[in-house]
Amino acid sequence: MTLAITIGALVAGAVFLMLQRGMVRIVLGFVLLGHGVNLLLMSAGGTSRRDQPLLSFGSPENAADPLPQAFVLTAIVIAFSITIYMLTLAATGSDDDTEDAS
């Protein structure tokens, strides 16, 4: 239950920040969303109620699925690279506070 509440709080915070003005807030919202999705993927693997997926000496029936862990590792790398790219755009871009002239 705690994991579900944490995922919900992270996603809600991410949506709130991504709907705000300003590139830095959008980047922070993206980072929060990435963490929420990573927790969701890890909870799908059932690591809390099963043994280690690799190098464990238990039975293979009790081993957790290592595929969600591989997804999370890939997602961390992709989210980090996109975050760096967005921060670069925020640092090199001009003022992002646009107002409609009409």
Side-chain angles (χ1 to χ4, degrees):
M1 186 68 174
T2 305
L3 189 60
I5 291 172
T6 304
I7 292 170
L10 284 174
V11 171
V15 168
F16 176 75
L17 285 174
M18 291 176 87
L19 292 177
Q20 301 291 318
R21 274 191 139 159
M23 190 67 174
V24 176
R25 291 182 180 155
I26 293 172
V27 171
L28 290 176
F30 180 76
V31 169
L32 283 181
L33 186 65
H35 287 301
V37 170
N38 287 341
L39 281 177
L40 180 68
L41 285 173
M42 286 300 290
S43 67
T47 56
S48 63
R49 59 183 182 274
R50 294 188 176 196
D51 293 337
Q52 297 175 355
L54 299 173
L55 303 176
S56 67
F57 300 108
S59 64
E61 294 86 23
N62 293 334
D65 189 12
L67 192 59
Q69 296 178 12
F71 285 153
V72 168
L73 183 62
T74 305
I76 288 171
V77 172
I78 292 171
F80 182 72
S81 63
I82 291 175
T83 301
I84 294 300
Y85 180 69
M86 290 174 72
L87 285 175
T88 304
L89 288 178
T92 58
S94 62
D95 188 18
D96 58 350
D97 191 19
T98 58
E99 292 185 19
D100 194 5
S102 60

